[in-house]
Amino acid sequence: RPEGSPALERALETFVRADVETCLSGLITERYSYGFYSGQFTAIEGLGKPAVNVLMGMFTKPAFPFLLPDPKRCHIMRQLAGEALADMKDPSIIPELESLFRSETAPAELGFDRQELDDTLAYVLFKLGRTEAMRDMAHRLESYLDASPNRTELRPRLTGLLVRMGEFQRAQAYYEMIARDDAQRADWAHYNLACLCSIQNKIAEA
């Protein structure tokens, strides 16, 4: 095809956007639940750089033209798009993501709160080799908990960061703490303890 043809580039982007949306939507149930597991973005990884551009648009651009007419599903796809960027291994997106991480407020139109956006951004940057943001967030949360042990609502967020950084022993300690001290989150903690054991091939403990 002719290089640089704007019409062909737009057509290609539309096809890739449709493929990416189909893949992401397929990860969401009819009741709008979803999870994270190894290999869930493999089909998108195979689409290469055009998919990176689509994912960045979904994750960072309020006016991204979703093809699906379901606002709730599209919001979940925005979050999944951020997660998928971590698996695309494209360092060219680092400056834009770092700029968004440093910004004072999250774009309200994206539907993210600050914590949700920061956690996803820190994870993507961590996977791309920029580990400072996630390590600093985990350190600050641990410091808050040391100073204010009753801030139990911070433990699940910290534990999630530790798991994503591969700090499994520290994460396990917090899951066990939550299971012991937080009746409302005990079932959640036991489930995640089993998952943590499973990914470490500790099947009997799981």
Side-chain angles (χ1 to χ4, degrees):
R1 65 178 175 82
E3 285 296 324
S5 168
L8 286 174
E9 293 294 338
R10 285 194 297 271
L12 175 61
E13 181 182 333
T14 299
F15 282 122
V16 173
R17 188 165 80 243
D19 285 343
V20 171
E21 284 198 29
T22 298
C23 291
L24 294 180
S25 183
L27 302 174
I28 307 167
T29 70
E30 292 183 359
R31 296 185 178 182
Y32 299 104
S33 63
Y34 59 99
F36 301 108
Y37 52 88
S38 178
Q40 65 181 342
F41 302 121
T42 300
I44 296 176
E45 291 178 57
L47 298 173
K49 181 64 176 179
V52 173
N53 297 335
V54 171
L55 291 168
M56 281 293 288
M58 284 185 176
F59 184 54
T60 66
K61 302 296 187 292
F64 182 83
F66 283 97
L67 301 174
L68 291 176
D70 184 339
K72 187 172 182 178
R73 185 167 290 265
C74 289
H75 171 69
I76 296 172
M77 285 196 293
R78 279 195 190 279
Q79 183 172 355
L80 289 172
E83 300 286 336
L85 284 168
D87 288 354
M88 299 303 289
K89 302 178 179 64
D90 186 337
S92 70
I93 65 176
I94 289 175
E96 185 173 351
L97 295 182
E98 286 184 327
S99 176
L100 187 56
F101 185 80
R102 291 191 300 267
S103 67
E104 291 297 323
T105 56
E109 298 89 345
L110 289 173
F112 296 122
D113 62 28
R114 185 76 247 185
Q115 174 182 312
E116 186 178 30
L117 180 68
D118 281 351
D119 285 359
T120 303
L121 284 168
Y123 173 62
V124 178
L125 290 168
F126 184 89
K127 292 280 282 187
L128 292 173
R130 301 296 178 94
T131 65
E132 300 86 355
M134 182 166 273
R135 294 193 185 282
D136 181 62
M137 288 169 62
H139 175 72
R140 283 188 285 113
L141 283 169
E142 284 193 295
S143 296
Y144 293 154
L145 281 167
D146 287 343
S148 305
N150 292 331
R151 292 289 305 277
T152 56
E153 75 280 2
L154 298 177
R155 290 176 182 169
R157 184 185 182 195
L158 172 59
T159 308
L161 293 175
L162 293 174
V163 170
R164 290 183 153 202
M165 290 191 296
E167 301 280 354
F168 295 145
Q169 294 305 313
R170 292 167 67 197
Q172 181 171 336
Y174 277 102
Y175 278 135
E176 291 171 349
M177 193 183 304
I178 294 167
R180 184 186 67 237
D181 300 337
D182 190 340
Q184 289 186 334
R185 298 184 177 93
D187 289 345
W188 172 87
H190 283 299
Y191 171 79
N192 281 284
L193 267 172
C195 292
L196 188 60
C197 289
S198 178
I199 63 177
Q200 297 176 86
N201 292 316
K202 297 178 180 179
I203 306 303
E205 291 182 45

